[in-house]
Amino acid sequence: RLGSEAEIPPTTLIEAGQFSICHSRAWANKVVTSAWWVHSHQVSKSAPTGEYLKTGSFMIRGKKNFLPPLRLEMGFGVLFHVGEDSIARHLGERRVKGVGRE
């Protein structure tokens, strides 16, 4: 929930980290690397006095929380929707072969 102080489950952090590295230069270079995360209050678009940030850059302050090295692995799924008018033609198509038959 947005603005919630609830802790994010480790599985969610690892999935987000894997998504991030798969959409980074690591994918093209086939480099296994680690992702990291920070709290929102650690991210700023302004640089400290006397320093400069390029347009579109962010300043990270404080500790980075590194995730374990993650595999460069993505999945692809396809979902089909069978309309009400064609359900009868598709009955039994997803039945596991050999189970429940004599």
Side-chain angles (χ1 to χ4, degrees), residues 41-97:
H41 67 271
Q42 294 177 258
V43 181
S44 174
K45 290 194 80 166
S46 59
T49 306
E51 292 186 30
Y52 173 75
L53 277 179
K54 293 191 295 184
T55 303
S57 297
F58 295 92
M59 175 66 67
I60 306 295
R61 293 183 173 89
K63 179 185 167 218
K64 293 179 182 175
N65 301 291
F66 283 89
L67 298 172
L70 302 167
R71 297 179 357 184
L72 296 172
E73 183 176 82
M74 283 196 288
F76 181 78
V78 179
L79 177 66
F80 292 95
H81 175 74
V82 178
E84 293 291 329
D85 56 332
S86 62
I87 289 177
R89 291 185 304 216
H90 296 281
L91 285 177
E93 283 186 359
R94 300 295 295 167
R95 187 173 298 143
V96 179
K97 295 178 181 176

Side-chain angles (χ1 to χ4, degrees), residues 10-49:
T11 305
T12 303
L13 290 172
I14 289 172
E15 288 172 354
Q18 190 164 23
F19 179 86
S20 298
I21 63 169
C22 285
H23 286 85
S24 71
R25 281 185 257 163
W27 182 267
N29 296 330
K30 295 175 178 50
V31 176
V32 176
T33 186
S34 296
W36 49 267
W37 62 273
V38 295
H39 294 279
S40 60
H41 67 271
Q42 294 177 258
V43 181
S44 174
K45 290 194 80 166
S46 59
T49 306

